[in-house]
């Protein structure tokens, strides 16, 4: 395997066990619950329970200084080049701060390369992108070739998701208060997508939870109608609603013939979950592009 480091940030929502197994470095990100920093002591189930109970959550991006400290430490410990795959620039200034840090580090480490790549992705969509990039390193691609592959293929990571409670999107400024109140009363579930620019956009709505979960797989089928499912690995994220995630997985297996071993289900972490809320279910897969014209 080619020798270089691949780094991402906590918004990729890949757990420590995955990182250890795949030699992935993940930079932690700060989140607060009612102003308290739990330093990872809060389980994800408890985190979402606190949100359900009305706790306020806040997040912050990684600063240039924090990136400098983190990358410097990696350069000193491993003496290898680095590919950093960052949270969508349309949703956070984090990847921009990483680029600033890379310029600052060039003087101290002139013989080393630090590639900063915008994933235009979030949560396990970013995680799936990281997973695909790691595969290229495992296949023996050089650092430069892997970085070029990542830049060329970021747009193939498709994101579709729905939330169970519009009030959390309202708190994050994604929908108006009136939309949240009326939509909740009528059981309206938004249908969301992360577009080519890495922006979160609403592309439709349905009435009822089960209909919104069915839509995720319907949309996947429509997206792949021309090409079919060429890459079998599927990631599904959930905001403390594992049974709903398993239901979506069962539909994917039935329609596309995907095996259990190729479906990865895990929590949406606190940084993303602070904005999407409990009950979020997200489906991520490799497709031809992210172009989306709506329903």
């Amino acid at each position: 395997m080619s020798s270089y480091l691949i780094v991402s940030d906590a918004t990729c929502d890949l757990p420590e066990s995955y990182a250890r197994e795949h030699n992935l470095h993940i930079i932690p990100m700060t989140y607060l619950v009612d102003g308290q920093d739990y330093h990872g002591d809060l389980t994800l189930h408890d985190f979402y329970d606190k949100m359900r109970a009305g706790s306020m959550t806040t997040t912050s991006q990684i600063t240039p200084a924090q990136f400098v400290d983190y990358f410097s430490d990696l350069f000193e410990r491993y003496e290898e080049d680095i590919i950093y795959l960052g949270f969508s620039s349309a949703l956070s200034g984090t990847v921009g701060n990483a680029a600033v840090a890379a310029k600052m580090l060039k003087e101290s480490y002139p013989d080393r390369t630090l590639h900063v790549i915008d994933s235009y992705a979030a949560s396990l969509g970013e995680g799936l992108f990281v997973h695909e990039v790691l595969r290229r390193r495992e296949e023996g691609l050089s650092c430069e070739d892997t970085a070029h592959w990542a830049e060329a293929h970021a747009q193939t990571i498709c994101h579709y998701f729905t939330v169970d409670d519009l009030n959390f999107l309202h708190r994050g400024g994604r929908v108006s208060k009136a939309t949240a109140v009326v939509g909740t009363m009528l059981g309206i579930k938004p249908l969301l997508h992360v577009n080519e620019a890495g922006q979160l956009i609403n592309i439709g709505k349905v009435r009822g939870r089960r209909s919104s979960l069915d839509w995720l797989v319907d949309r996947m089928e429509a997206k792949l109608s021309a090409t079919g499912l060429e890459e079998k690995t599927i990631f599904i994220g959930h905001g403390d609603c594992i049974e709903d995630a398993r239901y979506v997985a069962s539909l994917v297996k039935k329609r596309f013939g995907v095996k259990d071993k190729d479906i990865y289900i895990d929590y949406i972490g606190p940084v993303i979950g602070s904005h999407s809320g409990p009950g979020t279910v997200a489906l991520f897969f490799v497709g031809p592009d992210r172009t989306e014209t709506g329903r």
Side-chain angles (χ1 to χ4, degrees):
M1 184 174 68
S2 297
S3 182
Y4 51 93
L5 304 181
I6 294 179
V7 181
S8 190
D9 46 59
T11 55
C12 73
D13 288 342
L14 293 168
E16 290 182 8
S17 57
Y18 179 97
R20 288 193 300 270
E21 180 181 353
H22 295 275
N23 190 24
L24 168 68
H25 298 265
I26 298 177
I27 306 176
M29 297 176 75
T30 299
Y31 71 94
L32 305 177
V33 180
D34 293 329
Q36 181 176 350
D37 184 353
Y38 283 87
H39 298 288
D41 295 332
L42 195 65
T43 69
L44 286 168
H45 172 70
D46 288 343
F47 167 79
Y48 281 110
D49 264 356
K50 285 183 176 292
M51 289 193 75
R52 292 185 184 101
S55 289
M56 296 301 296
T57 59
T58 56
T59 63
S60 60
Q61 61 194 27
I62 305 168
T63 66
Q66 289 171 324
F67 272 120
V68 166
D69 289 344
Y70 194 90
F71 291 139
S72 296
D73 179 64
L74 291 180
F75 276 151
E76 292 295 335
R77 286 194 292 136
Y78 294 97
E79 298 185 355
E80 294 179 0
D81 292 334
I82 296 172
I83 297 175
Y84 167 70
L85 309 167
F87 184 26
S88 172
S89 58
L91 300 174
S92 169
T94 295
V95 74
N97 289 343
V100 171
K103 291 181 179 179
M104 295 169 66
L105 286 166
K106 196 62 183 174
E107 183 176 345
S108 300
Y109 300 93
D111 298 327
R112 308 293 288 282
T113 300
L114 170 54
H115 297 278
V116 175
I117 297 173
D118 190 344
S119 70
Y120 301 101
S123 188
L124 284 169
E126 182 182 347
L128 179 56
F129 181 57
V130 170
H131 178 80
E132 291 298 317
V133 174
L134 286 165
R135 281 183 54 195
R136 273 63 205 177
R137 184 179 66 181
E138 291 166 1
E139 290 170 358
L141 265 67
S142 68
C143 184
E144 289 293 326
D145 286 345
T146 299
H148 291 156
W149 185 94
E151 290 171 340
H153 288 80
Q155 295 297 330
T156 65
I157 307 299
C158 298
H159 304 54
Y160 293 100
F161 68 104
T162 187
V163 302
D164 196 36
D165 188 336
L166 285 165
N167 289 300
F168 294 104
L169 287 182
H170 166 64
R171 276 172 39 177
R174 300 296 180 183
V175 301
S176 69
K177 180 64 174 177
T179 297
V181 171
V182 174
T184 299
M185 290 175 57
L186 297 178
I188 299 299
K189 307 301 179 185
L191 310 174
L192 302 122
H193 160 66
V194 175
N195 67 8
E196 301 95 319
Q199 299 166 319
L200 172 63
I201 61 171
N202 190 330
I203 58 174
K205 59 186 177 182
V206 295
R207 182 171 293 181
R209 176 66 163 177
R210 183 56 61 91
S211 293
S212 70
L213 300 178
D214 291 342
W215 174 88
L216 295 174
V217 186
D218 290 344
R219 204 66 201 167
M220 177 179 174
E221 189 169 34
K223 188 67 180 172
L224 298 174
S225 61
T227 62
L229 184 60
E230 297 180 2
E231 172 51 60
K232 296 292 187 181
T233 303
I234 308 296
F235 278 25
I236 300 172
H238 68 93
D240 201 36
C241 51
I242 182 63
E243 292 305 320
D244 289 337
R246 287 172 178 160
Y247 171 74
V248 171
S250 72
L251 294 181
V252 170
K253 288 186 286 186
K254 183 177 181 179
R255 293 197 202 179
F256 296 96
V258 177
K259 305 298 184 183
D260 283 335
K261 67 180 181 65
D262 294 319
I263 297 181
Y264 179 85
I265 301 175
D266 212 332
Y267 270 96
I268 296 168
V271 178
I272 303 298
S274 290
H275 304 282
S276 59
T280 302
V281 179
L283 176 61
F284 308 101
F285 57 93
V286 178
D289 54 55
R290 294 197 203 177
T291 303
E292 183 57 60
T293 57
R295 301 182 64 197

